[in-house]
Amino acid sequence: MIRVLLVDDQPLIRSGFRALLDLEDDIEVVAEAADGREALDLVRAHLPDVALVDVRMPVLDGIETTRRIAGDPALAGVHVVILTNYGLDEYVLDALRAGAAGFLVKDVLPEDFLHAVRVAARGDALLAPSITRRLIHHCLARPPAVAAASGAPGLDGLTGREREAVVLVARGLSNDEIAARMVISPLTAKTHVNRAMTKLGVRDRAQLVVLAYESGLVAPQG
């Protein structure tokens, strides 16, 4: 059962999300919060698999809420998906750097919303296509010297197969797709990705994607 915490300052939005999630046999909404501070209390009390967090909230916004969740070792199993009406570049990068596993605009289709919850629960990165385009455009706009300067410690410590796996993650491939491309088993593909994340000191695949572009390991394809 996937346990979900809803965090949004608008009761109607929370009600809509809950109604959708309650229809699914494998998903349970364990609690709701109206601001980030309340969310932190509830996430510690319930340890949900996924926290769906609005980016703009009173008391404590979604970015800082995400940062505090990601920074608490006791909450390592909680995957944050940021929800917003906006989709602005600074929100995307700030959310991913803060430790978000995904970023969705609120006009996403219901089936895509449910898919996002399941993808986040299993620890994969989830970005809406429009958000992915913004992220890549941002990286394209950066001067090469800036991108090179942000290279991550440990990048040279990756094996050839680990580097290849990171590149494929950054291109948006799932573990099964990476396995097919590299002609290995899905379990081996996951192992390569997990070892790369450990060596690079990133929390999840979303942060791995950002690092891959910003370090210059992957060149955005315009």
Side-chain angles (χ1 to χ4, degrees):
M1 182 69 71
I2 298 172
R3 295 159 50 80
V4 176
L5 170 68
L6 296 175
V7 188
D8 196 295
D9 61 327
Q10 299 182 46
L12 186 59
I13 295 292
R14 296 200 309 272
S15 296
F17 287 151
R18 177 183 276 276
L20 186 61
L21 294 169
D22 281 346
L23 294 174
E24 303 301 305
D25 293 335
D26 62 332
I27 299 175
E28 175 190 10
V29 177
V30 296
E32 299 181 21
D35 62 63
R37 193 171 302 282
E38 183 183 8
L40 290 175
D41 291 337
L42 290 173
V43 79
R44 293 183 181 113
H46 294 279
L47 296 177
D49 301 299
V50 178
L52 299 172
V53 180
D54 185 25
V55 73
R56 285 189 173 180
M57 296 183 295
V59 185
L60 199 66
D61 66 26
I63 304 298
E64 182 58 27
T65 301
T66 299
R67 185 173 292 112
R68 295 189 188 187
I69 291 173
D72 187 341
L75 304 178
V78 180
H79 306 289
V80 177
V81 174
I82 292 286
L83 296 165
T84 180
N85 288 319
Y86 306 97
L88 303 178
D89 296 357
E90 61 268 28
Y91 287 144
V92 177
L93 291 167
D94 286 348
L96 294 176
R97 286 171 178 148
F103 194 108
L104 290 175
V105 289
K106 290 182 182 177
D107 62 357
V108 66
L109 294 173
E111 56 266 31
D112 291 336
F113 171 72
L114 294 171
H115 175 69
V117 172
R118 294 184 173 101
V119 167
R122 66 175 183 251
D124 287 345
L126 191 287
L127 295 174
S130 61
I131 300 301
T132 302
R133 286 194 295 272
R134 285 186 172 91
L135 175 60
I136 291 174
H137 289 165
H138 172 88
C139 293
L140 280 169
R142 298 182 67 189
V146 175
S150 63
L155 199 62
D156 292 339
L158 298 181
T159 67
R161 296 297 263 174
E162 289 165 356
R163 290 172 72 94
E164 185 178 357
V166 171
V167 169
L168 295 175
V169 168
R171 296 296 184 207
L173 275 65
S174 67
N175 285 339
D176 287 346
E177 292 167 333
I178 292 171
R181 185 74 64 88
M182 295 177 66
V183 195
I184 55 179
S185 72
L187 180 59
T188 301
K190 183 176 181 179
T191 298
H192 286 321
V193 173
N194 288 344
R195 286 178 177 168
M197 289 194 296
T198 298
K199 290 180 179 180
L200 296 173
V202 298
R203 173 185 168 94
D204 54 32
R205 292 168 73 107
Q207 290 189 320
L208 189 62
V209 170
V210 174
L211 183 148
Y213 281 109
E214 293 193 328
S215 68
L217 179 60
V218 178
Q221 298 174 340

